[in-house]
């Protein structure tokens, strides 16, 4: 099964990740994270599969994150509230996301992506 690659066309990191995938001949199913935002159920599965805390799925450098003053809210919200918030707006989700049989990658770090596909 092809990995799912969630990205945003105006994101430079997503562009770097897409280029890396192409250069390595990795075929993925691409999905615009804003146009087709992740559902609450998808996010819940992906977070569990990643082994990461939910806060790692927030795009902390995004304008919306800052406008909503989420830095303070994240620490005092329940996981259910955070899931609801993440699923409400694709721009709140850290990107790119890569979901495969091996697990879930959040953000783009070339060494992590290399290990993901070679181990």
């Amino acid at each position: 099964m092809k990995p799912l690659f969630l990205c945003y066309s105006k994101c430079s990191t997503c562009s770097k990740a897409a280029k890396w995938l192409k250069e390595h001949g990795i075929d993925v199913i691409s999905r615009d994270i804003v146009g087709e935002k992740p559902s609450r159920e998808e996010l819940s599965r992906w977070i569990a599969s990643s082994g990461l805390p939910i806060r790692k799925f927030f795009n902390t450098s995004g304008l919306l994150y800052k406008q909503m003053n989420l830095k303070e809210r994240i620490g005092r919200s329940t996981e259910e509230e955070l899931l609801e918030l993440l699923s409400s707006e694709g721009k709140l989700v850290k990107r790119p996301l890569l979901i495969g049989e091996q697990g879930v990658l959040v953000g783009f770090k070339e060494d992590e992506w290399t290990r993901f596909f070679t181990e």
Side-chain angles (χ1 to χ4, degrees):
M1 186 170 156
K2 292 181 188 178
L4 177 61
F5 176 61
L6 285 100
C7 58
Y8 179 53
S9 62
K10 296 179 182 177
C11 169
S12 61
T13 305
C14 292
S15 296
K16 288 178 191 173
K19 181 181 176 190
W20 185 92
L21 289 165
K22 186 174 183 176
E23 287 172 353
H24 288 82
I26 299 167
D27 195 19
V28 296
I29 298 168
S30 291
R31 180 169 138 193
D32 181 81
I33 202 165
V34 176
E36 193 180 340
K37 64 187 178 199
S39 71
R40 189 181 175 292
E41 293 75 22
E42 287 175 320
L43 287 163
S44 183
R45 281 194 317 271
W46 299 339
I47 291 165
S49 179
S50 75
L52 297 170
I54 193 170
R55 63 183 168 74
K56 295 288 187 181
F57 279 75
F58 278 89
N59 178 16
T60 58
S61 61
L63 186 59
L64 189 57
Y65 179 90
K66 293 171 183 171
Q67 287 174 340
M68 295 175 73
N69 197 25
L70 294 181
K71 185 176 183 179
E72 293 179 19
R73 285 179 57 189
I74 286 179
R76 61 178 193 261
S77 297
T78 67
E79 187 153 329
E80 293 301 315
E81 291 168 330
L82 295 176
L83 272 173
E84 196 61 38
L85 190 57
L86 272 176
S87 66
S88 71
E89 173 59 61
K91 287 186 179 179
L92 288 177
V93 181
K94 185 170 179 77
R95 55 194 182 260
L97 283 178
L98 187 69
I99 296 92
E101 292 177 19
Q102 312 91 308
V104 176
L105 294 176
V106 181
F108 177 66
K109 293 183 181 163
E110 190 172 333
D111 58 330
E112 288 179 5
W113 285 47
T114 299
R115 279 194 306 276
F116 188 78
F117 287 103
T118 58
E119 293 181 353

